[in-house]
Amino acid sequence: MSQSIALSHDAHPASRGLMRWIKTTNHKDIGTLYLLFSLIMFFVGGAMAMVIRAELYEPGLQFVNPGFYNQLVTLHGLIMVFGAVMPAFVGLANWMVPLMIGAPDMALPRLNNWSFWILPFAFTLLLLTLFLPGGGPEGGWTLYVPYSMELGYSFPFLIFAIHLMGISSVLGGINIIVTILNMRAPGMTLMKMPLFIWAWLITAYLLVAVMPVLAGGVTMQLFDHFFGTHFFSAAGGGSPLLWENVFWFFGHPEVYIMILPAFGIISEVVPTFSHKPLFGRTTMIYALASIAFLSFIVWGHHMFTSGMPVSADLFFMFSTMLIAVPTGVKIFNWVATMWKGALTFETPMLFAVAFIILFTVGGFSGVMLSLVPADFQYHNSYFVVAHIHYVLVTGAVFAIMAGVYYWLPKWTGHMYSEFWGKVHFWISVISVNVLYFPMHFLGLAGMPRRVPDYAVQFTNLNMISSIGGFVFGAAQLIFVAIIFTTIYGGKKAEARVWEGAHGLEWTVPSPAPYHTFSSPPEVAG
Amino acid sequence: MSASADSYYLPHGTPWSIFGSLGLFGFMLGAGLWIDGLNSVGPLVMGLGVLTLILTQFGWFGTVIRESESGVYNQQVDRTFRWAMVFFIFSEVMFFGAFFGTLFYARLFVVPWLGGASNMFFTHALLYPHYRALWPTNGPAHVGGTFSAMPPWGIPAINTLILLSSAVTVTLAHWALKAGHRRKVIAGLVATIALGVSFLLMQAHEYYHAYTHLNLTLHSGIYGATFFILTGFHGLHVTIGVIMLTVILIRVLRGHFTPEHHFAFEAASWYWHFVDIVWLGLFIFVYWL
């Protein structure tokens, strides 16, 4: 049905060259823009990480001064969260949501274009701060008061860049929610939606709910800094703790914004390569919703050592541990999906399996951190760095890579090189553990985070970690090479790229025509 | 640009969003340069940015209005706009939530803690032994000097009546639109806009009064900070609402909308009711309690 539509008269972009990409309202073009932007930011943030690891290779100060080191740490965090991981997921949503629900495009195509085109300007504003007198922001990506009150010229640009990212995310989130609620093909009831769609519906809701809270919070910082208010200073009856509460009320849902779409991707990839339907589909949906709900009532676990009353510590400890229940449901269901399946291990499946194992490692260290008395020891140490990188790199980033390999043939019409995909996977999965696993031990041994220098007894583990970091960074060049060689050539991909794949996106040809589902497909009852 | 009653309208390319982004970028870059005092071009860059944003709005909304009037939007597009507006207002609710949360956190936790409540005995005894935890407060350092709180039963109470009446007039206008009485629609909208503008004038007078007679300023500690950020952002949203209603009034005068097809009107009125409800929260928690 869709092949005939692909040949209609407006099957091509309305403009050519650069104007095509600036003016486009096509969800596939915008998805591509998001993904390329995210890839660039992944390397910008990654380059900062390389400098950080080079500096930490040995004790003492080698390459950068402590102030610039702190700027790198801060910008690395902000860029990876808002510039690399989030836009990658939004790019995947742009490409796949209309294809998976049988919609002709996103519900609000012009707004979709704007959501993307705000981002390059937001990051220009953020990176411009490096060239100001005094350099970029240094307080860490959490912008804690009173550090942030002492920032120099970079401060307003940092705040405004966050405002722009927030506008982009809220508009993008609204668009995705409306698309999913209003644009599904006839017969696709809510409970029949693919898990990736469910994950994104819930994620988009979180985006719309918490990005405005961050916007309000940084606005209060702007007022404290420039207009003489006292939101965050005790002298005027405010409190620095207020900022921590506002930030983490945003920040904890934010980390789930970065992991729920990953759960969605894994829930698509694992059944395909297990040649079995997803085990416990309905419970997977309820688990996603429970995690999203819990994300709003656990923010205090980032602040155990900040001096909250014991009753608050206890509440946040127990609510945090509760998250392990729905997350455990998801892990067990993925494993049960693989159980007695006809497993094949193409690159997306390898990344998915690595995700399940390594994300669980990150989950376990999360449970350790949720225990108040234990957290007093781990807090502000490399243990926290290890935890966040296990859940965000081997979690979110590995899931993004699984998704890219899974859908790349659908986007480009070509198969990627399975050999080089596997090379990329194995180098990445080994080096990433060399990179992050020693950080657990460093943290438990007492090495604090966010320092350019350290005591000599931490040298060996830091050297191992840095070597892993350099290899992991270099391995991502293979990823880029695979993506671009696949765009420009390779074996022709079929409509149903993977034998075990089901869903509407596999009913359209590869590459997916510029316009798909101009008249909606029927979804069987 | 094909569309019919049974297919979803899809635009092919848009020139507006890149101008919107450039406008936002100029706005923020200029504001940053200005506020930092880094470069004297700041205000100019900011002004150009804001101007670009305003022109973009004219172009973008103008395009959408023309498309709507030419009848290319079917029922499904209408549902899209409804859902989008619902979630946009939800995001605005959360934005105000941050400031209301700040107010409650300050009153329920921070101020009592500074006075020695909970486990903060030594904080109080050692740092601020003379501080008494009472609301309104400008904190232990008495920042901004002695001030008076804004009494609720003067201008704020009148403003409450104004906004509640405007909710009635905008609803009367909506009923009239559905019944096809165009004159009553215009009367209702004019009344709503007039009430909105009078609210803003009263609010401006209240700020003047606060600064000149009560010594209640942005510098008046946590009370002044929460007072001005909540009422200030609310006032900004009333202004946006008045602009929306004015656009709707102009469209009604030009003969737009039918008794069945008038979502822009409803969106503006939803927004107006949202602003109204936020005000009730303000009146109760900022002025009264």
Side-chain angles (χ1 to χ4, degrees):
Chain A
M1 81 208 118
S2 45
Q3 281 85 341
S4 59
I5 293 152
L7 302 173
S8 69
H9 65 284
D10 56 356
H12 296 287
S15 314
R16 299 258 153 226
L18 183 64
M19 286 317 284
R20 165 187 174 179
W21 299 101
I22 287 177
K23 290 174 69 178
T24 185
T25 44
N26 181 288
H27 73 100
K28 300 181 183 85
D29 281 354
I30 297 171
T32 305
L33 285 170
Y34 264 112
L35 288 167
L36 286 177
F37 177 77
S38 145
L39 193 63
I40 293 167
M41 284 295 134
F42 182 57
F43 276 86
V44 173
M48 293 174 175
M50 292 299 108
V51 178
I52 291 170
R53 280 324 314 173
E55 179 58 49
L56 292 176
Y57 186 75
E58 282 175 347
L61 296 178
Q62 275 75 239
F63 303 105
V64 293
N65 63 48
F68 187 64
Y69 181 87
N70 286 340
Q71 294 174 24
L72 287 179
V73 170
T74 305
L75 290 172
H76 166 76
L78 286 168
I79 287 171
M80 288 306 202
V81 168
F82 292 103
V85 172
M86 287 169 68
F89 281 130
V90 180
L92 291 170
N94 255 293
W95 254 102
M96 300 319 297
V97 166
L99 285 180
M100 290 171 99
I101 65 174
D105 206 303
M106 298 292 280
L108 295 156
R110 291 192 186 102
L111 196 69
N112 199 17
N113 174 304
W114 201 29
S115 306
F116 171 75
W117 276 108
I118 289 172
L119 279 183
F121 293 99
F123 283 89
T124 307
L125 208 55
L126 183 65
L127 289 170
L128 269 181
T129 59
L130 281 172
F131 304 100
L132 293 173
E138 314 183 7
W141 83 284
T142 52
L143 316 173
Y144 269 18
V145 185
Y147 304 132
S148 59
M149 287 300 119
E150 308 194 348
L151 292 177
Y153 291 126
S154 64
F155 179 77
F157 297 98
L158 168 69
I159 299 299
F160 292 146
I162 289 171
H163 276 140
L164 291 185
M165 295 168 204
I167 295 171
S168 162
S169 291
V170 169
L171 298 180
I174 290 173
N175 209 344
I176 290 169
I177 294 175
V178 176
T179 305
I180 294 172
L181 291 181
N182 192 31
M183 305 290 282
R184 299 191 310 279
M188 180 169 288
T189 57
L190 283 175
M191 291 313 278
K192 267 193 232 159
M193 290 195 312
L195 255 287
F196 180 70
I197 305 299
W198 259 110
W200 247 115
L201 178 62
I202 293 167
T203 305
Y205 170 77
L206 291 180
L207 272 175
V208 177
V210 301
M211 290 308 290
V213 176
L214 179 68
V218 294
T219 305
M220 289 191 278
Q221 283 212 8
L222 193 75
F223 272 72
D224 263 20
H225 202 286
F226 289 106
F227 305 119
T229 55
H230 285 81
F231 286 109
F232 304 117
S233 94
S239 168
L241 260 186
L242 167 62
W243 169 255
E244 294 190 25
N245 279 291
V246 173
F247 181 83
W248 289 113
F249 182 83
F250 146 81
H252 203 80
E254 167 67 20
V255 298
Y256 291 157
I257 286 165
M258 293 187 283
I259 204 64
L260 292 186
F263 289 171
I265 293 168
I266 300 304
S267 301
E268 299 296 326
V269 171
V270 169
T272 293
F273 297 98
S274 305
H275 299 80
K276 268 177 71 189
L278 186 68
F279 183 88
R281 225 186 96 81
T282 315
T283 58
M284 288 300 245
I285 296 168
Y286 286 124
L288 281 171
S290 318
I291 294 171
F293 167 74
L294 288 171
S295 76
F296 284 104
I297 56 163
V298 298
W299 77 89
H301 66 218
H302 297 269
M303 310 162 47
F304 283 149
T305 60
S306 64
M308 286 190 298
V310 176
S311 51
D313 277 356
L314 287 175
F315 170 78
F316 287 121
M317 172 167 85
F318 291 127
S319 59
T320 303
M321 288 186 194
L322 219 53
I323 298 173
V325 177
T327 314
V329 167
K330 301 199 80 70
I331 302 281
F332 282 118
N333 279 357
W334 288 320
V335 174
T337 305
M338 288 189 275
W339 176 255
K340 292 194 176 172
L343 299 182
T344 56
F345 291 98
E346 285 86 350
T347 313
M349 183 62 164
L350 289 173
F351 272 104
V353 173
F355 170 95
I356 295 170
I357 296 167
L358 297 175
F359 179 77
T360 305
V361 172
F364 282 147
S365 58
V367 175
M368 291 169 74
L369 285 161
S370 76
L371 297 157
V372 174
D375 180 78
F376 271 60
Q377 306 301 314
Y378 307 143
H379 188 82
N380 210 29
S381 78
Y382 257 84
F383 193 82
V384 178
V385 181
H387 164 71
I388 195 67
H389 285 93
Y390 264 92
V391 290
L392 283 183
V393 179
T394 59
V397 174
F398 270 32
I400 291 166
M401 285 170 177
V404 168
Y405 282 113
Y406 186 57
W407 286 309
L408 195 58
K410 176 56 64 189
W411 304 334
T412 62
H414 302 126
M415 288 305 290
Y416 61 89
S417 158
E418 198 60 60
F419 171 78
W420 283 107
K422 285 187 170 132
V423 169
H424 172 227
F425 168 75
W426 283 110
I427 298 180
S428 294
V429 78
I430 293 167
S431 62
V432 87
N433 283 293
V434 176
L435 166 59
Y436 295 126
F437 211 79
M439 290 184 185
H440 289 116
F441 304 123
L442 283 169
L444 293 177
M447 177 165 160
R449 61 177 174 170
R450 294 175 176 170
V451 286
D453 189 7
Y454 50 82
V456 285
Q457 69 266 31
F458 302 129
T459 309
N460 287 345
L461 286 172
N462 268 304
M463 277 185 176
I464 294 169
S465 177
S466 286
I467 291 167
F470 300 143
V471 176
F472 183 72
Q476 305 323 308
L477 296 172
I478 305 175
F479 184 49
V480 178
I482 292 171
I483 289 172
F484 283 95
T485 49
T486 311
I487 290 174
Y488 292 111
K491 194 158 73 73
K492 192 89 191 69
E494 294 161 26
R496 186 180 300 280
V497 176
W498 312 105
E499 187 192 16
H502 299 279
L504 289 175
E505 77 265 40
W506 309 110
T507 64
V508 300
S510 305
Y514 198 62
H515 292 289
T516 36
F517 298 127
S518 296
S519 52
E522 280 296 327
V523 178
Chain B
M1 304 258 178
S2 57
S4 64
D6 57 350
S7 83
Y8 196 85
Y9 176 77
L10 292 177
H12 293 287
T14 173
W16 300 117
S17 46
I18 192 67
F19 288 111
S21 299
L22 283 167
L24 274 177
F25 183 65
F27 179 10
M28 301 271 154
L29 181 70
L33 290 172
W34 189 7
I35 208 169
D36 267 346
L38 263 171
N39 195 312
S40 56
V41 299
L44 179 69
V45 175
M46 181 174 152
L48 285 175
V50 172
L51 187 68
T52 311
L53 262 183
I54 292 172
L55 292 177
T56 304
Q57 307 243 326
F58 268 97
W60 191 333
F61 283 108
T63 307
V64 173
I65 289 168
R66 272 192 300 282
E67 286 171 357
S68 175
E69 288 301 306
S70 69
V72 296
Y73 292 165
N74 62 10
Q75 286 293 313
Q76 199 182 5
V77 177
D78 190 67
R79 275 203 304 279
T80 285
F81 288 152
R82 282 168 197 278
W83 277 119
M85 194 66 196
V86 165
F87 279 95
F88 174 65
I89 291 177
F90 172 60
S91 78
E92 293 270 49
V93 169
M94 294 306 289
F95 182 70
F96 277 97
F99 302 127
F100 275 107
T102 296
L103 176 68
F104 298 150
Y105 184 77
R107 291 186 63 171
L108 292 175
F109 296 107
V110 176
V111 171
W113 284 349
L114 289 172
S118 182
N119 54 355
M120 306 296 173
F121 174 81
F122 283 107
T123 305
H124 178 249
L126 298 176
L127 291 176
Y128 311 116
H130 303 297
Y131 181 64
R132 288 181 62 222
L134 294 171
W135 189 267
T137 180
N138 53 1
H142 217 55
V143 293
T146 307
F147 71 97
S148 315
M150 186 59 70
W153 298 112
I155 295 172
I158 298 170
N159 266 346
T160 309
L161 287 177
I162 289 176
L163 275 193
L164 289 179
S165 321
S166 75
V168 174
T169 54
V170 80
T171 305
L172 288 176
H174 189 201
W175 288 350
L177 182 55
K178 286 206 281 193
H181 299 308
R182 210 151 266 269
R183 276 167 181 277
K184 283 189 189 169
V185 182
I186 294 166
L189 278 174
V190 169
T192 311
I193 294 166
L195 288 165
V197 171
S198 17
F199 173 91
L200 288 169
L201 292 174
M202 296 285 270
Q203 190 76 11
H205 177 73
E206 183 190 273
Y207 276 17
Y208 175 77
H209 180 66
Y211 263 77
T212 52
H213 296 107
L214 303 179
N215 191 31
L216 171 59
T217 69
L218 275 174
H219 308 272
S220 302
I222 190 69
Y223 180 84
T226 50
F227 176 84
F228 281 106
I229 204 130
L230 275 159
T231 55
F233 272 112
H234 179 263
L236 178 68
H237 283 74
V238 174
T239 313
I240 296 168
V242 167
I243 294 170
M244 287 164 98
L245 288 169
T246 310
V247 172
I248 298 300
L249 175 64
I250 294 168
R251 290 187 64 188
V252 171
L253 290 171
R254 288 190 180 177
H256 292 194
F257 304 129
T258 64
E260 298 78 33
H261 184 85
H262 52 261
F263 176 66
F265 182 102
E266 288 174 79
S269 90
W270 289 357
Y271 196 80
W272 194 251
H273 289 304
F274 149 71
V275 169
D276 208 2
I277 289 164
V278 172
W279 174 260
L280 289 181
L282 282 179
F283 182 69
I284 294 169
F285 295 110
V286 176
Y287 291 98
W288 187 8
L289 295 180

